[in-house]
Each structure stands twice: as structure tokens, then as C-alpha cells.
């Protein structure tokens, strides 16, 4: 806040020597605008927290050896968005599956905002971005968009009925909703709609970069019902999307066959997750309106084409929730997926990402699944997973 300071000073000198009251006013202004804790020292914060990887002048040549180079800010061209808001989100949540950590807990919001602005000054002058009317931006609340989605990966298919949920963490969650399944996650700007007049079939152009692919973008059903040891994939029929208190998600009903009445209702909430060890995302499922007693099974994550690195349990640091079950899978040419799950209201059987549990008629159960994506699996990550908060 240097701007108002020059003002009384100039009027003072223009009219001769400053009056006593003007002098006092000046002193008060000088005192109140002296650099204080309220004004973060962005260059200093950058040197301390970012320069080891990004280099002192932001050229990407820091002192820390990385398998994957940190971004040079000097040539611009940000993959995850170059607006101060997008940069703020990247700095807050980190980038899943890369060494770029989240500073959510280690730096204050004011410090992260100051760094976001500072990073923009390191690059070439930013051309004035004309915000197209067709671009939907997530600001301080989540947003959703429905429409046709192109294939999220070369191995995946297009989905005429797609849904994108943009969260304030800067991650967007891409779903098919003909039979509800999470296809993958993007980071960066939200979405461009190529046609605002069409209803339903409007093609969507997601703007973020894919940071996570669920089973190559072609995932099987998440929930299965178990009869005599046989697991039958359940059909998930979309009901609606929702935005509430800064959170967003969707609701659907699970069916055993197209003709049966629904077995239960699922409300799923999604959000980003960032921490020192790595970033990723959370899914919170509320399983309710259970029509008749049943047994459900889920596998998070499925090993698929990946390599299983381990399974284990951790206990809730607060001792409130049951043990979390973890499964670690390395994807070919991808990050390491560390997936933890915990059930509240039901007792799971099974180990290592495979959870099987009974749901009495009329019961409600909460399932929390956290996915942390890290470039490498090591002891430090394993220790860090113990601290991951669940609900
Ligand atoms: C441990 C190393 C490390 C540290 C510390 C680090 N970064 Fe990064 N950062 C990276 C890497 C690696 C990438 C590139 C990730 C990728 O492959 O896309 C990155 C990417 C970014 C991006 C995204 C650029 C884009 O393409 O959109 C921003 C912004 C960023 N860092 C800002 C910061 C700031 C600000 C700090 C300090 C508060 C910081 N980083 C600290 C390693 C680091």
C-alpha cells in the first residue's frame, strides 16, 4: 500500500511547508504503511521456498536435482493457467504426480497470493487475455458443465453425456454420466463451451491438463454387489449435480439390472488435496437409502496395467475413525498412486484396496477415498501418508 503515501506528501510540499496536522497525518501514514507482516515479502519468500527448484530468477535451474525439471517462469507458457488466480491454486495445491509441492499449510493465503503475483512478473509481459464469452471460469465457488466430452486419452472413448465439475482447488473432475464413472482429473483453467445455445449435446472443451487418468480413462464400475462370492458390477444412474457451501459433486442411484428398483443412492463429493508429500484429490461418498440389505465391494485403486508396490493400514491420528487401508500402485509412464480408503458406519473385510462390507436396509455409510499422486515411492511418502486427514 505505497500509493496513498505519496499523496499527502505532494500536496504538503506544493502548498509550502507541511502544516502541523499534515505532519502528524504523514507520521501516522508512515507508521501504518511501514512494511509489516501484512505485506508479504514475495521475492524473499520465492528465494526461500521456490528458488531451490525454480532457480533464483525463475529460469527453472535450481539447486535441487529433479528427474523432472521445474518450470521456467521466464518464458511464460504455463500449462496450468497463467492468471494470478490459477497460479494461486497451483501454489496452494501443488501439481499431482510431480515434485511441485502444495504450500497450503506452510504459507499463508496472503503469502501465496503475493507469490502468484510475483511469478507473473518473472515471465514476459502477459498479453491482455480476452476472456471469451464461451469460457467458463471457476472463481470462488465450484462450477459444473454438461455436454459431449471427447476422449480424455488416446485409449478412451468420447462420451455424449459428460459432466465436468470445476472445484476451487483448480482441479476439474471429468465424468461420464450415462453410467456414472470418474474418467480423470485435470488441472488449470476450467472449460470452454463451443455452443451455448444447444441443450445437452453441447460439446465441451475442457481447458485443464490431465493430471490423473482413472484406469487409462476407461474405468469399470466402481461399486459391485456381492452374491455368494460373486461380484456383479452395479449400474450408476445419474440423478443430479450439486454445489453446496463451496463444495461440489453429484448424486446417482445404483442398480443391479436395468429393470430392478434402485439398490441404494450415492452422493459423491470431490475436491483437490495438496500437502507437502504430494497432491491429489479426495472423494467422499455417502451411501444411503439402502432398499434392502446387501453386500458391496469396491477396489480402489485396481492394479490394472500398473505394478502393485504395497498395501498397508494406518491408524487415524485423532483416533476417531477406523484404520485406513492403503494401496500403492505405479502406473506405466505415470505417477505413483497412493490410495487410502476408510469407511464410517460399516466394517470392511478385505485388504489392500479391496473393501467389502455389508449394508443393512435403511443404513447410511460414509466412504472416504484419498488419492495422493507422487513421482516416486519412498519411506518419506509412506510416513507422510499417516498424516493425511480423511473427512
Ligand atoms: C521440490 C521442487 C519444487 C519446489 C520447492 C517448488 N516447485 Fe513449482 N514446480 C516444480 C516442478 C517440477 C514443476 C513442473 C511440474 C510439471 O511437470 O508440470 C513446477 C511447476 C510450478 C508451477 C506451474 C507452472 C505451469 O506450468 O503452469 C508453478 C506456478 C510453480 N511451480 C510455482 C512454484 C512456487 C511459487 C514455489 C514456491 C512457493 C514452487 N513452485 C516451489 C517443482 C518445485
Amino acid at each position: 500500500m505505497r500509493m496513498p503515501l505519496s499523496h499527502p506528501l505532494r500536496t504538503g510540499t506544493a502548498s509550502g511547508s507541511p502544516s502541523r496536522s499534515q505532519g502528524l497525518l504523514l507520521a501516522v501514514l508512515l507508521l501504518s504503511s511501514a512494511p509489516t507482516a501484512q505485506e508479504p515479502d514475495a521475492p524473499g519468500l520465492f528465494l526461500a521456498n521456490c528458488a531451490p527448484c525454480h532457480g533464483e530468477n525463475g529460469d527453472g535451474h535450481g539447486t535441487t536435482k529433479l528427474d523432472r525439471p521445474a518450470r521456467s517462469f521466464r518464458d511464460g507458457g504455463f500449462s496450468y493457467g497463467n492468471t494470478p488466480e490459477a497460479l494461486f491454486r497451483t501454489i496452494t495445491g501443488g501439481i499431482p504426480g510431480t515434485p511441485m509441492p502444495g504450500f497450503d499449510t506452510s504459507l499463508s493465503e496472503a503469502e501465496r497470493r503475493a507469490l502468484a503475483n510475483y511469478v507473473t512478473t518473472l515471465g514476459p509481459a502477459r498479453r491482455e487475455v480476452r476472456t471469451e464469452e464461451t469460457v467458463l471460469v471457476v472463481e470462488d465457488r465450484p462450477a459444473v458443465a454438461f455436454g459431449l466430452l471427447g476422449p480424455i486419452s488416446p485409449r478412451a472413448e468420447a462420451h455424449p453425456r459428460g459432466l465436468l465439475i470445476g472445484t476451487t482447488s483448480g482441479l476439474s473432475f471429468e465424468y461420464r454420466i450415462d453410467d456414472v464413472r470418474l474418467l480423470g482429473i485435470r488441472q488449470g483453467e476450467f472449460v470452454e463451451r463451443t455452443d451455448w445455445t444447444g441443450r445437452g449435446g453441447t460439446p465441451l472443451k475442457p481447458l485443464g491438463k490431465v493430471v490423473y487418468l482413472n484406469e487409462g480413462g476407461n474405468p469399470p464400475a466402481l461399486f459391485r454387489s456381492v452374491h455368494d462370492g460373486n461380484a456383479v458390477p452395479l449400474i450408476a444412474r445419474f440423478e443430479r449435480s450439486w454445489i453446496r457451501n463451496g463444495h461440489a459433486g453429484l448424486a446417482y442411484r445404483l442398480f443391479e439390472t436395468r429393470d430392478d428398483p434402485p439398490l441404494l443412492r450415492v452422493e459423491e463429493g470431490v475436491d483437490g488435496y495438496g500437502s507437502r508429500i504430494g497432491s491429489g484429490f479426495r472423494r467422499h461418498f455417502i451411501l444411503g437409502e439402502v432398499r434392502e440389505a446387501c453386500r458391496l465391494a469396491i477396489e480402489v485403486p485396481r492394479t490394472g496395467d500398473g505394478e502393485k508396490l504395497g498395501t498397508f493400514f494406518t491408524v487415524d491420528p485423532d483416533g476417531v475413525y477406523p484404520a485406513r487401508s492403503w494401496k500403492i500402485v505405479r502406473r506405466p509412464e505415470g505417477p505413483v498412486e497412493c490410495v487410502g480408503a476408510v469407511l464410517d458406519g460399516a466394517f470392511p473385510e478385505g485388504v489392500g484396496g479391496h473393501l467389502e462390507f455389508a449394508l443393512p436396509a435403511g443404513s447410511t455409510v460414509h466412504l472416504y477415498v484419498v488419492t495422493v499422486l507422487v513421482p516416486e515411492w519412498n519411506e518419506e511418502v509412506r510416513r507422510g501418508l499417516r498424516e493425511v486427514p480423511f473427512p
Side-chain angles (χ1 to χ4, degrees):
M1 285 291 145
R2 303 260 142 96
M3 274 296 287
L5 186 60
S6 59
H7 216 56
L9 191 64
R10 256 191 236 121
T11 50
T13 40
S15 62
S17 59
S19 69
R20 196 179 133 77
S21 64
Q22 273 174 324
L24 264 178
L25 178 66
L26 188 57
V28 169
L29 279 168
L30 275 171
L31 272 176
S32 62
S33 64
T36 60
Q38 285 137 352
E39 242 177 277
D41 164 26
L45 287 168
F46 188 85
L47 274 185
N49 296 282
C50 323
C53 293
H54 289 280
E56 285 180 24
N57 59 6
D59 63 2
H61 298 296
T63 49
T64 306
K65 277 261 160 294
L66 297 170
D67 304 341
R68 183 171 179 153
R71 162 81 49 197
S72 162
F73 299 129
R74 297 183 66 82
D75 47 15
F78 294 92
S79 316
Y80 306 95
N82 64 355
T83 59
E85 193 57 35
L87 290 166
F88 170 73
R89 285 172 186 159
T90 301
I91 297 166
T92 301
I95 302 173
T98 79
M100 172 65 196
F103 291 88
D104 191 11
T105 49
S106 52
L107 296 176
S108 72
E109 176 172 341
E111 288 171 330
R112 281 173 274 134
R113 293 215 180 267
L115 278 168
N117 284 323
Y118 181 68
V119 166
T120 62
T121 66
L122 296 173
R126 192 150 61 93
R127 263 175 295 124
E128 200 48 56
V129 218
R130 195 162 53 92
T131 311
E132 306 284 344
E133 269 178 28
T134 49
V135 173
L136 195 58
V137 182
V138 174
E139 279 162 357
D140 52 3
R141 71 191 292 267
V144 296
F146 291 90
L148 180 132
L149 281 171
I152 190 170
S153 76
R155 283 199 282 145
E157 293 158 21
H159 293 285
R161 293 187 62 206
L163 165 67
L164 279 174
I165 303 179
T167 64
T168 55
S169 64
L171 297 186
S172 38
F173 294 74
E174 194 161 326
Y175 286 85
R176 59 182 274 193
I177 56 168
D178 50 329
D179 184 0
V180 177
R181 292 177 200 183
L182 176 66
L183 305 172
I185 290 174
R186 297 176 184 265
Q187 178 161 7
E189 304 297 342
F190 187 39
V191 66
E192 182 174 348
R193 291 204 244 197
T194 45
D195 171 18
W196 281 87
T197 53
R199 281 187 167 266
T202 317
L204 297 174
K205 195 173 143 205
L207 300 175
K209 191 172 151 185
V210 175
V211 292
Y212 168 79
L213 270 183
N214 196 7
E215 306 257 348
N218 208 1
L222 174 61
F223 293 97
R224 288 171 301 151
S225 69
V226 185
H227 297 281
D228 309 319
N230 290 323
V232 182
L234 293 175
I235 303 162
R237 208 171 282 165
F238 179 76
E239 194 177 278
R240 60 182 180 91
S241 64
W242 53 266
I243 296 176
R244 225 172 25 231
N245 306 327
H247 298 282
L250 66 171
Y252 41 93
R253 289 182 194 270
L254 298 179
F255 296 78
E256 295 204 294
T257 70
R258 300 241 164 242
D259 310 318
D260 289 332
L263 196 56
L264 67 146
R265 181 173 185 269
V266 181
E267 192 158 309
E268 176 177 346
V270 291
D271 216 341
Y273 169 74
S275 77
R276 195 181 42 80
I277 51 157
S279 27
F281 59 95
R282 295 167 191 282
R283 299 168 81 184
H284 171 200
F285 304 86
I286 306 173
L287 314 178
E289 296 178 30
V290 182
R291 184 172 51 88
E292 60 184 48
C294 56
R295 253 187 108 66
L296 290 191
I298 58 164
E299 183 94 28
V300 280
R302 284 164 29 106
T303 308
D305 59 355
E307 177 197 352
K308 186 165 103 178
L309 300 181
T311 59
F312 54 92
F313 287 92
T314 59
V315 292
D316 177 14
D318 302 322
V320 178
Y321 285 90
R324 296 87 186 267
S325 126
W326 289 92
K327 180 172 173 186
I328 318 297
V329 174
R330 190 204 308 278
R331 298 288 167 206
E333 296 161 43
V336 175
E337 282 174 31
C338 311
V339 184
V342 66
L343 276 170
D344 187 13
F347 298 96
E349 289 160 31
V351 283
H354 178 84
L355 300 179
E356 203 175 304
F357 50 99
L359 281 178
S363 60
T364 301
V365 163
H366 293 253
L367 165 68
Y368 302 91
V369 180
V370 175
T371 301
V372 185
L373 300 163
V374 293
E376 281 308 324
W377 174 240
N378 54 41
E379 234 350 92
E380 194 194 345
V381 175
R382 190 185 168 120
R383 272 197 307 274
L385 292 178
R386 280 192 252 160
E387 312 302 323
V388 174
F390 266 70

